[in-house]
Every structure is written in structure tokens, then in C-alpha cells.
Amino acid sequence: MGADESINQGEPMAAQEKGATLIVRDAGALALVQDGGRFGVRHLGVTQGGAVDWVSLGWANWLLGNAVDAAGIEITLGGFVVEVQTSTTLALAGGELGATLDGEPVPPHTRFRVDAGQTLAFGQATSGLRAYLALPGGVAATPFMGSTSSVIRECLGGLDGEGRALAVDDVIVAAGREPAGEARVIETPPRFTEETVDLEMVPGAQIAQFDGASVFATFNERWEVDARADRMGVRLIGQALRNGAGGMISEGIPLGAVQVPPDGQPIVLLNDRQTVGGYPRLGALTPLACARLGQCPPGTQLRLVPVSPHRTRRQMQAQFARWR
Amino acid sequence: MSAPRPRIETVAYDTLTVRLFEAIDEAHMPWILAADAALRERFDEALIDLVPSYTTLMLHYDALRLGQAEARAMIVEALADLAPASDREGRHHVIPVWYDESVGPELVTIAERLGVEPADVIRRHCERDYCAFALGFAPGYAFMGLVEEALATPRLSTPRQRVPAGSVGIAERQTAIYPMRSPGGWNILGRTAVTLFDRSRDEASLFRPGDRVRFEAIDRDTFVEQGGDPTPMEAS
């Protein structure tokens, strides 16, 4: 995250006229324009935003030869339907949401042709939670503070800059008409089917404020994804954790922060989190673990696994190397 | 005040928190601002985000360029000869507020609790400069303080579903303005017509951490003239 300097800058109106176009016919549960996120503005109270599963957005973009953090469509749970206005090539990655093109299944992690008049429809999630649709050159939209990511709560980003979710009759315009590069195939596409998902967490300094039994429980108990989960945060259900910190003075909160409010049930803070907060934290999930959590529906069983910043850095470098 | 000894804490694989103080105090802000400037300069292109807040600065660096050990060393180096920023560093804003029960219901409840007239609460809220300790909760929302001890009021036990944009509130010894309509639990005293977060403005947010803010009471007509929306709280 923040790795690629070439955050999608949108395109001028003249370029939009020749970009491939899709029209929204059904908004589904939630579909949002998202890129790599908004950075350099956290001190003004502006949140990060961006694709929750940034790895899948990266793969969808990679399939088309786009910058991996170019703006795409984040489709949560399914039900989203678009009609193709211009024949072009699209790419799909992320969760399996039963995508079909004129009724024929479109597997995730592929790049595929679409012709004018065809309908691309998403059904229900069968594995994972979020699918990412990439368009040639990314979605054309005017960036605000360096990003087109939609944050509904902040009324920022998206097609009209007001942060709203995609709605019926919205016109999605690509920055380009056709992909930049040759067809590509993902050798080992991510799967979202494990029975228990391991999520790596970098322990933070404040873990020292939790009692020993709670630290042990953090890494040895199972955690379950609660239904109270959205782009701001995901609540985990399990053994109550205790700490002696009491009320803390608010400070900045990083992506993936695992905060523990007084009820002892951790909350993992994701892309649309508030920028400062005052609950004690166990640490922060790695960006790769945040992306994986973004594909975990309520009820998913989790384990938290400690990892060092150094090892995480190597994993992140390896992920970006796959996209070269 | 002598130079604080920074403590550097791991908070994420690519983020460190620099802890300078243990308590909230306006006298700490010049040090926080000086550290902010020194860290921005030292990290330069390798800086992704730097979030000052009361006693700390959270530094998110580009981990594809820097390892954590390197980042820690750079922080130590940047803060080696820290001197507090001058008082004039932050900008000073005067925010006109229409204090009235219709748009600020807790103006009356606070006055009643103190056994004084609402005008007295208004005078005391306007009496001092407040410091913007941190921005958060929403774009452009500044946590400011400290309000006079007697005015300190706990948050509402049940937050409001909708607090209109421009609402000026108090929670404990802090005061703030809601930049946009949102849910909220602060005690509302009045409303300002000033736009706090304007996407067409260069930096969008009127306030930055470290800015100083004073409130000035205006009447309803002036508020409306300034473009304020006088719709009462319960109808908003």
C-alpha cells in the first residue's frame, strides 16, 4: 500500500469519451469505486479508504496491465449487474460471487471479452465476500486528495466525488478502451476456502498492557468473525481479553489495528476507520491479513498468528514482485 | 519545559508511534508541532502519513523503501535537537457562533447545572483560545481544548442520530465543531456558518493540528447573513 507512486489520477473529460463504458442496471448489496486509498491526509481527519482486499484489486488490474492500485469496482456480496455499452476486455478477481456474462459463468481471476449489449451479472457469494472488477486503464473519476476511493461516511470519492455507492443508471467509464498489455494468467490465484483462516498480526507495544492470560488467548484461541463487520472494522467474537490500560488518550490508528474496547472483544480496524482513537491495541494485522479478512464472511473461524515487521516486509516485497 | 524524551513504539509493520508525553496539556503542542516538522523533513518522500495527536505522533512510512530499524534510527536522528515551535507557528482562527437553545439545546442544561444564565456560559466558552490537539472522527473535525473546568460536561448518554453541520459542542474539557451532519454525543451549544471542510479549498480542512481557535458570539441575523442554516436541532 502506498507502494506505487502512480495512483490513478483519473482522466480528463476528452479521454473519458473514448473509454469503454458500462451502465449499472442493479446496484446489488454494495458496489463502490475503490483504488489503493487516500494517503498523506490522515492528520486532517481524512480516512484511508481503498480496496479492502487490495491484493485482489491488484490482481484484477494486473490482468489488464493497469497500475495495480488503479480504480476498480469493489462488489460486496453480489447482486450487482452492469450492461456493456462498448466492446472491451474486463478482468475479475477476488471472491466467487457467481458472476455470469449473458448467463455464462465468468470464473474469478480471469480476463475476458465483453461485447456491447451483453450483461455482466453477479449472483451470491459462494466463497469470499468481495469481488473486484477492473476496466482498461481503471475507472475514470476525478481524484480528491490523490484518490478516487469512495468513503460513504465522509462523502468523498467515487464517480461524482460525493462518496456514494454505485446506483442504478450510473455510467462507469474506463480510462482506456482496451487493456495496455498482452493477456496474462495468474499462476496460483488466491483461494478463500480454508476452514480456519490464519491472520498474521504484528504485536504492538500496547500488548504489554494486557494480562498474560489474554496475550496467550489472543494467539491460542479461535476467533469468529461477527456479523458487525463493514469497511470501518470487523468485530471478532471469542474469549474476553483484559487490560489494565483503562481510558487512553486518543492517538493515530494504523490499518489493521486490533483494538480491544472495555467488553474485551477485539475489533480489527480497516480502510474506512476513524483516524484517531483511544482503545488499547494488541497490534495490527498485516496489510496481507487485512486483505484476507476482507474476504471472510460472518461466522468464519480465525487464528491470530504473531509475525515480525521484518518478515512482513519481505512478504509485501514478494507480493509486489509478483506484479512486476 | 525541558525537551521530552521520545519513546518509539511499534504499532504496525510499517508504522511507529512516537510518544512524547503522558498527559494532555496545551504546553505540549509546540513540541508536538516541532516534532511534526522535523519528521516530515527527515522522512520526506518515504513518509506516507504523520498523525499528531495530544501526546503522540503516528508515523506511517513507506516500508518498501525502509525497514523498521532504519525508520527508528531516522526518528531518533530527526528528534535529536528538538526545540519547541514558537507560539506563532499555528494559525489563529476566529469562529463566529450563533449560541441559541434552538440550535444548541445543552446551552440551557449546562447553564442550569451551573446555576447561571446561558449568556454566562457563552461568555466563558468565548473567553479563551483553544488549541487543536488532533483532527479525527470526520474530515476537518478538530478536538480542541481545554475548556474551563466548570464547563466540562460528559458526553450525552444517548448520542444523537443527527447533529447538523456547524454544530459547536463540548465533551469533558474539549470543544469541537461538526464539519458535516453526522451522529454525535457532544453537548451542543450553538452553530457556526463557517465551512470546516471544503473540497474546493487547497487543503480542504480549515484547521490543522496546532492551530488556535477562539469563538465569537453572533446573533441570529448575522448567522443567517453568513449563510448559516437556522433550522432548529430537533427538525434537522
Side-chain angles (χ1 to χ4, degrees), chain B:
Chain B
M1 184 183 282
S2 61
R5 289 177 62 93
R7 208 163 72 218
I8 304 168
E9 301 174 356
T10 296
V11 294
Y13 107 96
D14 56 359
T15 309
L16 294 163
T17 288
V18 181
R19 190 171 301 284
L20 289 179
F21 301 101
E22 298 296 334
I24 297 177
D25 189 331
E26 287 166 279
H28 294 158
M29 238 21 225
W31 292 96
I32 298 275
L33 292 181
D36 185 274
L39 292 168
R40 280 185 190 280
E41 191 186 337
R42 182 67 187 87
F43 278 76
D44 195 31
E45 294 279 289
L47 185 73
I48 293 179
D49 265 298
L50 184 59
V51 188
S53 177
Y54 300 100
T55 54
T56 56
L57 299 104
M58 187 187 83
L59 192 151
H60 176 191
Y61 58 90
D62 184 348
L64 296 182
R65 296 185 193 214
L66 302 175
Q68 196 155 99
E70 206 179 335
R72 279 175 178 271
M74 284 165 70
I75 292 171
V76 170
E77 193 185 302
L79 303 183
D81 298 308
L82 201 62
S86 96
D87 282 358
R88 303 293 91 180
E89 204 87 340
R91 294 166 301 183
H92 190 268
H93 311 267
V94 176
I95 303 294
V97 177
W98 174 41
Y99 292 91
D100 190 80
E101 188 182 359
S102 66
V103 292
E106 283 78 43
L107 179 62
V108 175
T109 54
I110 292 175
E112 280 171 1
R113 192 193 71 215
L114 297 178
V116 299
E117 290 299 310
D120 193 46
V121 173
I122 297 167
R123 181 183 56 73
R124 287 154 74 170
H125 189 247
C126 292
E127 209 164 46
R128 53 174 83 184
D129 278 358
Y130 299 109
C131 171
F133 289 112
L135 273 72
F137 177 68
Y141 187 103
F143 293 88
M144 298 180 280
L146 293 169
V147 301
E148 182 193 328
E149 189 113 42
L151 292 184
T153 309
R155 285 173 175 77
L156 302 177
S157 48
T158 308
R160 291 189 168 91
Q161 287 297 311
R162 282 189 297 276
V163 178
S167 293
V168 177
I170 286 182
E172 302 301 345
R173 292 192 65 193
Q174 303 204 60
T175 185
I177 310 168
Y178 286 80
M180 55 189 78
R181 192 174 82 167
S182 63
W186 289 41
N187 302 276
I188 307 301
L189 308 183
R191 202 178 288 174
T192 181
V194 172
T195 304
L196 295 180
F197 194 86
D198 178 353
R199 279 172 295 184
S200 65
R201 223 162 26 209
D202 214 16
E203 216 184 19
S205 176
L206 180 66
F207 298 143
R208 289 178 61 108
D211 283 3
R212 305 199 71 82
V213 178
R214 186 180 280 256
F215 296 103
E216 178 187 72
I218 54 170
D219 59 20
R220 186 184 194 279
D221 290 348
T222 313
F223 172 75
V224 172
E225 244 167 62
Q226 291 175 350
D229 174 3
T231 309
M233 177 71 96
E234 63 269 25
S236 296

Side-chain angles (χ1 to χ4, degrees), chain A residues 175-190:
Chain A
R177 178 164 284 235
E178 288 293 342
E182 295 294 299
R184 291 169 160 182
V185 176
I186 303 173
E187 279 174 29
T188 48

Side-chain angles (χ1 to χ4, degrees), chain A residues 205-216:
Chain A
Q206 288 170 9
I207 200 170
Q209 293 170 0
F210 288 80
D211 68 31
S214 294
V215 175
F216 184 84

Side-chain angles (χ1 to χ4, degrees), chain A residues 123-171:
Chain A
Q124 287 186 342
T126 53
S127 83
L129 201 56
R130 294 177 165 99
Y132 291 86
L133 180 66
L135 286 73
V139 175
T142 306
F144 173 71
M145 291 181 157
S147 166
T148 60
S149 285
S150 315
V151 180
I152 294 173
R153 180 171 51 87
E154 295 186 344
C155 307
L156 297 179
L159 294 182
D160 60 3
E162 300 289 337
R164 61 177 180 79
L166 291 172
V168 171
D169 293 339
D170 273 350
V171 179

Side-chain angles (χ1 to χ4, degrees), chain A:
Chain A
M1 317 208 76
D4 197 323
E5 296 276 276
S6 60
I7 283 182
N8 175 39
Q9 292 299 310
E11 287 292 319
M13 290 308 287
Q16 283 189 22
E17 283 163 21
K18 64 180 173 60
T21 303
L22 308 173
I23 295 184
V24 178
R25 293 302 182 205
D26 191 328
L30 179 65
L32 297 163
V33 174
Q34 294 294 347
D35 59 18
R38 203 164 268 122
F39 294 97
V41 290
R42 216 73 65 242
H43 63 293
L44 303 176
V46 178
T47 197
Q48 175 173 339
V52 176
D53 181 0
W54 60 275
V55 178
S56 291
L57 174 67
W59 280 123
N61 277 321
W62 179 85
L63 285 166
L64 295 184
N66 294 345
V68 292
D69 57 1
I73 309 296
E74 177 178 276
I75 300 147
T76 303
L77 288 168
F80 183 66
V81 179
V82 287
E83 186 186 319
V84 178
Q85 291 289 105
T86 325
S87 300
T88 185
T89 303
L90 303 174
L92 192 58
E96 173 70 75
L97 303 191
T100 56
L101 183 64
D102 279 354
E104 292 296 313
V106 180
H109 301 107
T110 55
R111 152 179 171 157
F112 54 98
R113 286 294 303 170
V114 294
D115 289 322
Q118 286 192 303
T119 298
L120 176 64
F122 291 80
Q124 287 186 342
T126 53
S127 83
L129 201 56
R130 294 177 165 99
Y132 291 86
L133 180 66
L135 286 73
V139 175
T142 306
F144 173 71
M145 291 181 157
S147 166
T148 60
S149 285
S150 315
V151 180
I152 294 173
R153 180 171 51 87
E154 295 186 344
C155 307
L156 297 179
L159 294 182
D160 60 3
E162 300 289 337
R164 61 177 180 79
L166 291 172
V168 171
D169 293 339
D170 273 350
V171 179
I172 303 167
V173 181
R177 178 164 284 235
E178 288 293 342
E182 295 294 299
R184 291 169 160 182
V185 176
I186 303 173
E187 279 174 29
T188 48
R191 300 258 174 249
F192 308 110
T193 51
E194 313 99 288
E195 209 157 280
T196 303
V197 177
D198 285 350
L199 297 179
E200 289 190 321
M201 178 180 91
V202 174
Q206 288 170 9
I207 200 170
Q209 293 170 0
F210 288 80
D211 68 31
S214 294
V215 175
F216 184 84
T218 298
F219 298 114
N220 290 279
E221 294 291 324
R222 296 290 173 94
W223 297 97
E224 185 182 312
V225 175
D226 191 20
R228 287 168 291 178
D230 58 20
R231 290 180 43 87
M232 283 181 77
V234 175
R235 221 167 231 280
L236 306 183
I237 307 169
Q239 185 179 317
L241 305 178
R242 284 169 226 301
N243 66 78
M248 288 174 38
I249 297 169
S250 285
E251 54 190 57
I253 306 175
L255 177 71
V258 185
Q259 71 171 23
V260 182
D263 70 0
Q265 301 294 301
I267 303 171
V268 182
L269 296 171
L270 294 177
N271 302 61
D272 288 3
R273 68 194 180 278
Q274 291 184 10
T275 56
V276 298
Y279 290 127
R281 286 173 259 136
L282 295 163
L285 295 191
T286 68
L288 291 160
C290 289
R292 183 65 190 83
L293 179 60
Q295 296 291 0
C296 294
T300 304
Q301 299 293 308
L302 306 174
R303 267 185 304 246
L304 296 175
V305 179
V307 66
S308 70
H310 180 69
R311 187 178 157 81
T312 305
R313 185 177 185 222
R314 284 201 308 231
Q315 292 167 348
M316 291 292 284
Q317 286 166 333
Q319 180 59 53
F320 282 101
R322 283 181 206 116
W323 287 330
R324 262 182 218 126

